[in-house]
Amino acid sequence: MSTPATLAAVRRSWDADAGAYIKAVELADAQQLEPAVAQAINQFVLGCKKDGVWDALKASCILMGARTLSGALTALVGTAPTNTGPFVSGDYNRKTGLIGNGSTKYLVTNRANNADGQNDNHNSVYVTTAPTGNSSHISSDAGVSGQNQMWICSGTTLTVRHRTTSNNSYSANPTGFIGVSRSASSSYTVRYSGADNTANLTSNSPSSTVLQVFRIPNFGYASNGRLAFYSIGTALTLSLLDTRVSDLYTAIGNAVA
């Protein structure tokens, strides 16, 4: 069994960004995380830095692991989301994340769609329960030029827009990591079910609406799915972030009783 002195030494060895986040979560939870949960978070941050994707995360939440909903809504980076609806403690599961109700509950990320460059942007989520019906994972506004959307149409089709008005659709309602990233004007990458897909659509100047998780702003399509992570920021290699988030999900699932 680890002694208090050993645990203190482990905490001192954490990455500085991971340590600051863990302490903020523990303050919101009003108690410490289990050592294995804290270590999983530390390894996630270290891994993202090793892979070169950490600096691309500008607004992100790990919606799992924390002991309370307040802890789960603590920002990993950037500004914490605004809990609209609101979500309540019964909507949160430490292993699998936060579930929507398909109508009134969503997160306002407080990150504008145009905060990142027209051709330098990513959005991602980690889905643990697939939604039904028309359900948005993460989106800016609808019906305007330069919008960002990742949503499920009729429970059967993943529909994506990224700095575009036109969309690409895929016959899937996947769980696990889903992400989009654009680093060129002529195309962007969509990743789901462990594979990358190229969408050959030219970018438009991004709209300024603040992105929402679980809902499309000013439109609807609120989700009844469950999410364990989201991120917004600059372009990155989606496969690398996928591996790190998927490993974090597994590690937290193993660590939480």
Side-chain angles (χ1 to χ4, degrees), residues 12-153:
R12 287 194 297 271
S13 71
W14 285 340
D15 172 87
D17 292 309
Y21 168 69
I22 292 166
K23 290 176 183 177
V25 169
E26 291 177 336
L27 180 62
D29 285 345
Q31 57 185 309
Q32 287 190 344
L33 295 171
E34 299 93 334
V37 173
Q39 184 60 17
I41 294 168
N42 185 58
Q43 290 302 116
F44 169 74
V45 174
L46 286 172
C48 286
K49 289 185 176 183
K50 178 181 178 181
D51 292 343
V53 299
W54 174 255
D55 288 342
L57 306 181
K58 305 301 183 182
S60 180
C61 270
I62 299 173
L63 300 171
M64 56 180 164
R67 293 183 183 272
T68 68
L69 176 60
S70 294
L73 295 180
T74 299
L76 173 66
V77 294
T79 303
T82 301
N83 180 4
T84 303
F87 291 95
V88 297
S89 59
D91 300 322
Y92 175 62
N93 181 287
R94 294 187 68 194
K95 290 189 176 187
T96 57
L98 189 62
I99 193 165
N101 68 350
S103 57
T104 59
K105 298 182 180 184
Y106 56 95
L107 300 177
V108 179
T109 68
N110 296 309
R111 180 81 177 175
N113 188 39
N114 63 352
D116 304 300
Q118 178 173 330
N119 301 310
D120 186 18
N121 179 242
H122 90 274
N123 299 159
S124 80
V125 294
Y126 194 92
V127 182
T128 60
T129 300
T132 59
N134 295 321
S135 298
S136 174
H137 291 315
I138 183 169
S139 297
S140 70
D141 37 9
V144 299
S145 177
Q147 62 199 287
N148 278 23
Q149 294 176 5
M150 287 197 299
W151 61 281
I152 300 297
C153 178

Side-chain angles (χ1 to χ4, degrees), residues 156-204:
T156 61
T157 304
L158 173 64
T159 303
V160 181
R161 296 179 175 91
H162 198 63
R163 305 304 205 224
T164 58
T165 50
S166 300
N167 65 266
N168 274 57
S169 296
Y170 307 88
S171 297
N173 185 359
T175 55
F177 182 88
I178 306 174
V180 294
S181 182
R182 182 186 284 274
S183 57
S185 62
S186 58
S187 65
Y188 62 91
T189 302
V190 181
R191 184 174 179 84
Y192 69 93
S193 299
D196 287 347
N197 303 267
T198 300
N200 293 306
L201 292 172
T202 301
S203 68
N204 304 122

